[in-house]
mmCIF file of all heavy atoms in Angstrom:
data_model
loop_
_atom_site.group_PDB
_atom_site.id
_atom_site.type_symbol
_atom_site.label_atom_id
_atom_site.label_comp_id
_atom_site.label_asym_id
_atom_site.label_seq_id
_atom_site.Cartn_x
_atom_site.Cartn_y
_atom_site.Cartn_z
ATOM 1 N N ASP V 57 44.236 -67.925 -106.394
ATOM 2 C CA ASP V 57 44.334 -66.525 -106.282
ATOM 3 C C ASP V 57 44.690 -65.989 -104.746
ATOM 4 O O ASP V 57 44.448 -64.897 -104.398
ATOM 5 C CB ASP V 57 43.151 -65.705 -106.829
ATOM 6 C CG ASP V 57 41.958 -66.007 -105.977
ATOM 7 O OD1 ASP V 57 41.883 -66.934 -105.066
ATOM 8 O OD2 ASP V 57 40.883 -65.351 -106.283
ATOM 9 N N SER V 58 45.225 -66.988 -104.115
ATOM 10 C CA SER V 58 45.625 -66.602 -102.710
ATOM 11 C C SER V 58 46.932 -65.714 -102.753
ATOM 12 O O SER V 58 47.656 -65.675 -103.711
ATOM 13 C CB SER V 58 45.900 -67.815 -101.792
ATOM 14 O OG SER V 58 46.996 -68.509 -102.231
ATOM 15 N N VAL V 59 47.162 -64.937 -101.767
ATOM 16 C CA VAL V 59 48.290 -63.990 -101.807
ATOM 17 C C VAL V 59 49.650 -64.717 -101.927
ATOM 18 O O VAL V 59 50.423 -64.416 -102.715
ATOM 19 C CB VAL V 59 48.353 -63.105 -100.491
ATOM 20 C CG1 VAL V 59 49.616 -62.338 -100.418
ATOM 21 C CG2 VAL V 59 47.101 -62.299 -100.295
ATOM 22 N N GLU V 60 49.723 -65.934 -101.173
ATOM 23 C CA GLU V 60 50.952 -66.615 -101.281
ATOM 24 C C GLU V 60 51.175 -67.334 -102.547
ATOM 25 O O GLU V 60 52.313 -67.248 -103.161
ATOM 26 C CB GLU V 60 50.937 -67.827 -100.188
ATOM 27 C CG GLU V 60 50.919 -67.297 -98.814
ATOM 28 C CD GLU V 60 49.540 -66.845 -98.291
ATOM 29 O OE1 GLU V 60 48.481 -67.114 -99.042
ATOM 30 O OE2 GLU V 60 49.392 -66.109 -97.272
ATOM 31 N N ALA V 61 50.121 -67.843 -103.241
ATOM 32 C CA ALA V 61 50.186 -68.506 -104.463
ATOM 33 C C ALA V 61 50.553 -67.521 -105.640
ATOM 34 O O ALA V 61 51.327 -67.740 -106.520
ATOM 35 C CB ALA V 61 48.936 -69.219 -104.872
ATOM 36 N N VAL V 62 49.894 -66.278 -105.593
ATOM 37 C CA VAL V 62 50.215 -65.317 -106.553
ATOM 38 C C VAL V 62 51.703 -64.706 -106.384
ATOM 39 O O VAL V 62 52.402 -64.564 -107.401
ATOM 40 C CB VAL V 62 49.152 -64.101 -106.512
ATOM 41 C CG1 VAL V 62 49.709 -62.939 -107.313
ATOM 42 C CG2 VAL V 62 47.813 -64.472 -106.860
ATOM 43 N N ASP V 63 52.075 -64.609 -105.157
ATOM 44 C CA ASP V 63 53.454 -64.156 -104.924
ATOM 45 C C ASP V 63 54.473 -65.110 -105.440
ATOM 46 O O ASP V 63 55.594 -64.829 -106.106
ATOM 47 C CB ASP V 63 53.664 -63.796 -103.438
ATOM 48 C CG ASP V 63 55.059 -63.300 -103.086
ATOM 49 O OD1 ASP V 63 55.391 -62.241 -103.752
ATOM 50 O OD2 ASP V 63 55.709 -63.903 -102.277
ATOM 51 N N GLU V 64 54.170 -66.427 -105.119
ATOM 52 C CA GLU V 64 55.106 -67.525 -105.615
ATOM 53 C C GLU V 64 55.136 -67.518 -107.173
ATOM 54 O O GLU V 64 56.245 -67.747 -107.733
ATOM 55 C CB GLU V 64 54.521 -68.999 -105.100
ATOM 56 C CG GLU V 64 55.639 -70.026 -105.386
ATOM 57 C CD GLU V 64 55.046 -71.292 -104.818
ATOM 58 O OE1 GLU V 64 54.420 -71.276 -103.800
ATOM 59 O OE2 GLU V 64 55.375 -72.408 -105.408
ATOM 60 N N LEU V 65 54.068 -67.481 -107.836
ATOM 61 C CA LEU V 65 53.930 -67.572 -109.263
ATOM 62 C C LEU V 65 54.686 -66.322 -109.968
ATOM 63 O O LEU V 65 55.465 -66.502 -110.836
ATOM 64 C CB LEU V 65 52.491 -67.560 -109.797
ATOM 65 C CG LEU V 65 52.255 -67.632 -111.269
ATOM 66 C CD1 LEU V 65 52.847 -68.834 -111.852
ATOM 67 C CD2 LEU V 65 50.772 -67.561 -111.568
ATOM 68 N N PHE V 66 54.352 -65.196 -109.292
ATOM 69 C CA PHE V 66 55.143 -63.886 -109.787
ATOM 70 C C PHE V 66 56.620 -64.124 -109.552
ATOM 71 O O PHE V 66 57.322 -63.729 -110.527
ATOM 72 C CB PHE V 66 54.493 -62.740 -108.856
ATOM 73 C CG PHE V 66 55.035 -61.431 -109.411
ATOM 74 C CD1 PHE V 66 54.387 -60.737 -110.375
ATOM 75 C CD2 PHE V 66 56.150 -60.784 -108.828
ATOM 76 C CE1 PHE V 66 54.829 -59.485 -110.918
ATOM 77 C CE2 PHE V 66 56.615 -59.596 -109.291
ATOM 78 C CZ PHE V 66 55.986 -59.001 -110.300
ATOM 79 N N SER V 67 57.085 -64.507 -108.410
ATOM 80 C CA SER V 67 58.463 -64.633 -108.159
ATOM 81 C C SER V 67 59.154 -65.605 -109.109
ATOM 82 O O SER V 67 60.336 -65.412 -109.443
ATOM 83 C CB SER V 67 58.725 -64.965 -106.701
ATOM 84 O OG SER V 67 58.189 -63.963 -105.811
ATOM 85 N N GLU V 68 58.439 -66.746 -109.463
ATOM 86 C CA GLU V 68 58.943 -67.703 -110.369
ATOM 87 C C GLU V 68 59.166 -67.239 -111.793
ATOM 88 O O GLU V 68 60.092 -67.633 -112.502
ATOM 89 C CB GLU V 68 58.028 -68.954 -110.268
ATOM 90 C CG GLU V 68 58.375 -70.001 -111.274
ATOM 91 C CD GLU V 68 57.188 -71.118 -111.244
ATOM 92 O OE1 GLU V 68 56.703 -71.390 -110.170
ATOM 93 O OE2 GLU V 68 57.057 -71.637 -112.332
ATOM 94 N N LYS V 69 58.270 -66.322 -112.234
ATOM 95 C CA LYS V 69 58.286 -65.972 -113.658
ATOM 96 C C LYS V 69 58.619 -64.500 -114.069
ATOM 97 O O LYS V 69 59.052 -64.248 -115.155
ATOM 98 C CB LYS V 69 56.878 -66.209 -114.345
ATOM 99 C CG LYS V 69 56.500 -67.724 -114.218
ATOM 100 C CD LYS V 69 55.357 -68.065 -114.944
ATOM 101 C CE LYS V 69 54.817 -69.510 -115.019
ATOM 102 N NZ LYS V 69 55.784 -70.385 -115.776
ATOM 103 N N ILE V 70 58.510 -63.606 -113.009
ATOM 104 C CA ILE V 70 58.788 -62.192 -113.277
ATOM 105 C C ILE V 70 59.860 -61.632 -112.454
ATOM 106 O O ILE V 70 60.008 -61.872 -111.270
ATOM 107 C CB ILE V 70 57.444 -61.365 -112.895
ATOM 108 C CG1 ILE V 70 56.127 -62.117 -113.543
ATOM 109 C CG2 ILE V 70 57.530 -59.919 -113.388
ATOM 110 C CD1 ILE V 70 56.056 -62.021 -114.979
ATOM 111 N N THR V 71 60.688 -60.818 -113.110
ATOM 112 C CA THR V 71 61.779 -60.035 -112.476
ATOM 113 C C THR V 71 61.554 -58.602 -112.768
ATOM 114 O O THR V 71 60.882 -58.214 -113.811
ATOM 115 C CB THR V 71 63.156 -60.318 -112.781
ATOM 116 O OG1 THR V 71 63.299 -60.347 -114.271
ATOM 117 C CG2 THR V 71 63.434 -61.843 -112.271
ATOM 118 N N LEU V 72 62.078 -57.672 -112.023
ATOM 119 C CA LEU V 72 61.866 -56.182 -112.183
ATOM 120 C C LEU V 72 63.346 -55.701 -112.505
ATOM 121 O O LEU V 72 64.253 -55.845 -111.735
ATOM 122 C CB LEU V 72 61.304 -55.568 -111.030
ATOM 123 C CG LEU V 72 61.100 -54.036 -111.043
ATOM 124 C CD1 LEU V 72 60.216 -53.669 -112.166
ATOM 125 C CD2 LEU V 72 60.672 -53.485 -109.780
ATOM 126 N N GLU V 73 63.410 -54.960 -113.674
ATOM 127 C CA GLU V 73 64.654 -54.355 -113.995
ATOM 128 C C GLU V 73 64.293 -52.912 -114.522
ATOM 129 O O GLU V 73 63.726 -52.736 -115.581
ATOM 130 C CB GLU V 73 65.373 -55.187 -115.191
ATOM 131 C CG GLU V 73 65.733 -56.584 -114.849
ATOM 132 C CD GLU V 73 66.224 -57.409 -116.109
ATOM 133 O OE1 GLU V 73 66.338 -56.786 -117.112
ATOM 134 O OE2 GLU V 73 66.420 -58.640 -115.927
ATOM 135 N N ASP V 74 64.795 -51.936 -113.772
ATOM 136 C CA ASP V 74 64.611 -50.456 -114.077
ATOM 137 C C ASP V 74 63.188 -50.131 -114.521
ATOM 138 O O ASP V 74 62.887 -49.637 -115.556
ATOM 139 C CB ASP V 74 65.534 -50.117 -115.198
ATOM 140 C CG ASP V 74 66.995 -50.320 -114.861
ATOM 141 O OD1 ASP V 74 67.321 -50.052 -113.722
ATOM 142 O OD2 ASP V 74 67.787 -50.753 -115.713
ATOM 143 N N ASP V 75 62.250 -50.520 -113.609
ATOM 144 C CA ASP V 75 60.780 -50.211 -113.708
ATOM 145 C C ASP V 75 60.158 -50.972 -114.897
ATOM 146 O O ASP V 75 59.066 -50.655 -115.334
ATOM 147 C CB ASP V 75 60.537 -48.678 -114.135
ATOM 148 C CG ASP V 75 60.861 -47.867 -112.956
ATOM 149 O OD1 ASP V 75 60.655 -48.328 -111.795
ATOM 150 O OD2 ASP V 75 61.186 -46.600 -113.068
ATOM 151 N N VAL V 76 60.896 -51.995 -115.509
ATOM 152 C CA VAL V 76 60.296 -52.889 -116.521
ATOM 153 C C VAL V 76 60.226 -54.272 -115.886
ATOM 154 O O VAL V 76 61.206 -54.838 -115.418
ATOM 155 C CB VAL V 76 61.133 -52.782 -117.784
ATOM 156 C CG1 VAL V 76 60.683 -53.871 -118.819
ATOM 157 C CG2 VAL V 76 61.227 -51.436 -118.303
ATOM 158 N N PHE V 77 59.049 -54.866 -116.004
ATOM 159 C CA PHE V 77 58.824 -56.298 -115.577
ATOM 160 C C PHE V 77 59.314 -57.162 -116.732
ATOM 161 O O PHE V 77 58.762 -56.988 -117.830
ATOM 162 C CB PHE V 77 57.437 -56.534 -115.135
ATOM 163 C CG PHE V 77 57.012 -55.836 -113.865
ATOM 164 C CD1 PHE V 77 56.378 -54.555 -113.864
ATOM 165 C CD2 PHE V 77 57.450 -56.346 -112.675
ATOM 166 C CE1 PHE V 77 56.066 -53.866 -112.678
ATOM 167 C CE2 PHE V 77 57.059 -55.712 -111.424
ATOM 168 C CZ PHE V 77 56.431 -54.407 -111.508
ATOM 169 N N VAL V 78 60.106 -58.162 -116.442
ATOM 170 C CA VAL V 78 60.557 -59.093 -117.428
ATOM 171 C C VAL V 78 59.930 -60.491 -117.128
ATOM 172 O O VAL V 78 60.150 -61.002 -116.024
ATOM 173 C CB VAL V 78 62.152 -59.152 -117.428
ATOM 174 C CG1 VAL V 78 62.625 -60.148 -118.446
ATOM 175 C CG2 VAL V 78 62.753 -57.827 -117.647
ATOM 176 N N TYR V 79 59.206 -61.066 -118.172
ATOM 177 C CA TYR V 79 58.680 -62.385 -118.029
ATOM 178 C C TYR V 79 59.645 -63.388 -118.652
ATOM 179 O O TYR V 79 60.051 -63.255 -119.791
ATOM 180 C CB TYR V 79 57.381 -62.287 -118.676
ATOM 181 C CG TYR V 79 56.730 -63.631 -119.025
ATOM 182 C CD1 TYR V 79 56.729 -64.651 -118.163
ATOM 183 C CD2 TYR V 79 55.864 -63.856 -120.153
ATOM 184 C CE1 TYR V 79 56.138 -65.859 -118.270
ATOM 185 C CE2 TYR V 79 55.318 -65.007 -120.394
ATOM 186 C CZ TYR V 79 55.372 -66.124 -119.435
ATOM 187 O OH TYR V 79 54.723 -67.225 -119.696
ATOM 188 N N GLN V 80 59.917 -64.470 -117.817
ATOM 189 C CA GLN V 80 60.841 -65.491 -118.306
ATOM 190 C C GLN V 80 60.170 -66.846 -118.027
ATOM 191 O O GLN V 80 59.513 -67.084 -117.032
ATOM 192 C CB GLN V 80 62.189 -65.401 -117.502
ATOM 193 C CG GLN V 80 63.019 -64.254 -117.964
ATOM 194 C CD GLN V 80 64.395 -64.320 -117.247
ATOM 195 O OE1 GLN V 80 64.450 -63.628 -116.173
ATOM 196 N NE2 GLN V 80 65.350 -65.005 -117.832
ATOM 197 N N GLU V 81 60.357 -67.753 -119.058
ATOM 198 C CA GLU V 81 60.064 -69.114 -118.883
ATOM 199 C C GLU V 81 61.354 -69.847 -118.955
ATOM 200 O O GLU V 81 62.056 -69.970 -119.934
ATOM 201 C CB GLU V 81 59.151 -69.531 -120.025
ATOM 202 C CG GLU V 81 57.739 -69.115 -119.959
ATOM 203 C CD GLU V 81 56.947 -69.863 -118.778
ATOM 204 O OE1 GLU V 81 57.470 -70.826 -118.287
ATOM 205 O OE2 GLU V 81 55.874 -69.369 -118.512
ATOM 206 N N GLY V 82 61.768 -70.342 -117.808
ATOM 207 C CA GLY V 82 63.127 -70.894 -117.708
ATOM 208 C C GLY V 82 64.174 -69.830 -117.788
ATOM 209 O O GLY V 82 64.181 -68.700 -117.291
ATOM 210 N N ASP V 83 65.094 -70.093 -118.807
ATOM 211 C CA ASP V 83 66.119 -69.016 -119.265
ATOM 212 C C ASP V 83 65.758 -68.270 -120.258
ATOM 213 O O ASP V 83 66.466 -67.273 -120.757
ATOM 214 C CB ASP V 83 67.423 -69.757 -119.603
ATOM 215 C CG ASP V 83 68.044 -70.501 -118.358
ATOM 216 O OD1 ASP V 83 67.767 -70.074 -117.271
ATOM 217 O OD2 ASP V 83 68.765 -71.488 -118.491
ATOM 218 N N SER V 84 64.575 -68.432 -120.847
ATOM 219 C CA SER V 84 64.149 -67.669 -122.114
ATOM 220 C C SER V 84 63.221 -66.491 -121.711
ATOM 221 O O SER V 84 62.167 -66.570 -121.024
ATOM 222 C CB SER V 84 63.249 -68.643 -122.998
ATOM 223 O OG SER V 84 62.755 -67.975 -124.130
ATOM 224 N N VAL V 85 63.551 -65.277 -122.177
ATOM 225 C CA VAL V 85 62.768 -64.055 -121.859
ATOM 226 C C VAL V 85 61.597 -64.111 -122.911
ATOM 227 O O VAL V 85 61.751 -64.294 -124.148
ATOM 228 C CB VAL V 85 63.632 -62.815 -122.171
ATOM 229 C CG1 VAL V 85 62.724 -61.497 -122.082
ATOM 230 C CG2 VAL V 85 64.667 -62.687 -121.136
ATOM 231 N N GLU V 86 60.401 -64.004 -122.397
ATOM 232 C CA GLU V 86 59.219 -64.024 -123.198
ATOM 233 C C GLU V 86 58.600 -62.605 -123.551
ATOM 234 O O GLU V 86 57.912 -62.451 -124.475
ATOM 235 C CB GLU V 86 58.090 -64.894 -122.511
ATOM 236 C CG GLU V 86 58.450 -66.297 -122.340
ATOM 237 C CD GLU V 86 58.641 -67.143 -123.593
ATOM 238 O OE1 GLU V 86 57.866 -66.878 -124.487
ATOM 239 O OE2 GLU V 86 59.585 -67.948 -123.593
ATOM 240 N N GLY V 87 58.884 -61.724 -122.672
ATOM 241 C CA GLY V 87 58.236 -60.326 -122.859
ATOM 242 C C GLY V 87 58.633 -59.346 -121.728
ATOM 243 O O GLY V 87 59.228 -59.731 -120.749
ATOM 244 N N TYR V 88 58.187 -58.065 -121.954
ATOM 245 C CA TYR V 88 58.419 -57.004 -121.045
ATOM 246 C C TYR V 88 57.144 -56.289 -120.837
ATOM 247 O O TYR V 88 56.346 -56.063 -121.675
ATOM 248 C CB TYR V 88 59.458 -56.013 -121.655
ATOM 249 C CG TYR V 88 60.626 -56.744 -122.151
ATOM 250 C CD1 TYR V 88 60.898 -57.099 -123.540
ATOM 251 C CD2 TYR V 88 61.804 -56.929 -121.309
ATOM 252 C CE1 TYR V 88 61.978 -57.654 -123.996
ATOM 253 C CE2 TYR V 88 62.894 -57.559 -121.743
ATOM 254 C CZ TYR V 88 62.952 -58.011 -123.052
ATOM 255 O OH TYR V 88 64.203 -58.543 -123.552
ATOM 256 N N ALA V 89 56.865 -55.861 -119.594
ATOM 257 C CA ALA V 89 55.942 -54.995 -119.205
ATOM 258 C C ALA V 89 56.388 -53.607 -118.626
ATOM 259 O O ALA V 89 57.166 -53.735 -117.702
ATOM 260 C CB ALA V 89 54.894 -55.668 -118.193
#
Side-chain angles (χ1 to χ4, degrees):
D57 64 354
S58 68
V59 173
E60 296 79 15
V62 169
D63 185 56
E64 184 179 332
L65 180 62
F66 185 87
S67 298
E68 178 186 320
K69 298 190 179 285
I70 311 293
T71 57
L72 180 61
E73 298 174 5
D74 299 323
D75 292 332
V76 175
F77 291 97
V78 180
Y79 167 35
Q80 289 184 266
E81 284 290 347
D83 293 333
S84 173
V85 173
E86 300 292 321
Y88 308 95

